[in-house]
Amino acid sequence: MNFKQIFLLLVSLSMLSFGLPKSIQKKVDKEIKEVFDLETFEFKAKVISKDVASTLPASFGEDNLFSIKSKGKLLGYAYVAKAPSKTDEFDYLVLLDKDLIVLKTKVLIYREDYGGEIGSKRWLKQFVGKTQNDELRYNDNIMAISGATISVRSMTNAMNNLLASLKILHKKQLL
């Protein structure tokens, strides 16, 4: 390869988008700064091999589990994913401490006319403090929301899948 080809290859690679879309990354950064009380931090993808990821209840790709570090010290993790609503999907964030305890959940983008109440801080607080050993049950230890039944069940299932996956990853010493 000559210099021109290498240069074009590097420019092409730099134009590719890695990680989260900018609109979501901005919201994630804001939540991390607030929850961990930081201004600067290192946000790095934690890649789970495809072999392991295929055995997990939650979906893990190359761009949805991230470690959060400050001054070289691990503070926790961020998990960003989508869950189904009635006719579309919504994006959500789960922030975990280094011991995999849920610090915060947030609905980042909700795309339906109804059911957006699952994005309320009051409702999402139910997940704070949950660990890999917890099992969440709709209408038992997770409150229902009138008019948002599908989204409530979807978020509850997504959180259960994440917690079960964290348990497996922790057992395999991958987290």
Side-chain angles (χ1 to χ4, degrees):
M1 267 191 194
N2 65 29
F3 177 76
K4 186 176 179 182
Q5 290 172 319
I6 293 172
F7 177 76
L8 288 173
L9 178 64
L10 289 174
V11 168
S12 298
L13 287 174
S14 69
M15 289 181 180
L16 292 175
S17 175
F18 294 104
L20 298 172
K22 283 184 183 181
S23 61
I24 290 179
Q25 185 69 58
K26 237 177 158 175
K27 293 176 183 182
V28 169
D29 289 349
K30 179 181 179 257
E31 295 302 323
I32 290 171
K33 287 177 182 179
E34 179 183 302
V35 169
F36 291 97
D37 195 24
L38 299 167
E39 271 309 307
T40 60
F41 57 90
E42 183 183 332
F43 186 77
K44 188 175 179 188
K46 178 88 174 148
V47 180
I48 305 299
S49 74
K50 288 181 183 180
D51 291 341
V52 173
S54 67
T55 67
L56 301 174
S59 67
F60 286 86
E62 293 182 10
D63 61 350
N64 68 334
L65 180 64
F66 304 90
S67 62
I68 302 165
K69 294 181 179 180
S70 178
K71 299 177 184 171
K73 183 180 174 188
L74 177 66
L75 300 176
Y77 299 93
Y79 178 77
V80 180
K82 293 180 185 291
S85 52
K86 188 173 182 178
T87 61
D88 210 335
E89 293 179 317
F90 59 91
D91 296 90
Y92 67 95
L93 163 70
V94 180
L95 293 178
L96 305 147
D97 70 8
K98 63 182 178 183
D99 297 318
L100 305 176
I101 298 170
V102 176
L103 297 174
K104 184 166 189 175
T105 55
K106 177 152 180 95
V107 174
L108 300 170
I109 300 174
Y110 194 80
R111 298 174 180 88
E112 299 277 356
D113 293 333
Y114 299 101
E117 295 88 350
I118 66 159
S120 77
K121 289 179 183 179
R122 181 175 170 259
W123 189 81
L124 290 169
K125 279 171 104 175
Q126 302 176 88
F127 300 111
V128 173
K130 301 301 181 196
T131 71
Q132 56 190 309
N133 297 315
D134 288 311
E135 185 178 335
L136 310 172
R137 288 179 301 284
Y138 169 74
N139 258 353
D140 185 8
N141 58 0
I142 299 297
M143 292 184 306
I145 299 176
S146 180
T149 305
I150 293 170
S151 297
V152 166
R153 287 185 179 168
S154 182
M155 185 66 178
T156 303
N157 290 337
M159 287 300 295
N160 269 328
N161 290 341
L162 174 60
L163 295 173
S165 297
L166 293 173
K167 188 172 192 167
I168 294 166
L169 292 171
H170 183 70
K171 192 174 185 178
K172 292 183 180 221
Q173 298 181 342
L174 296 172
L175 290 181

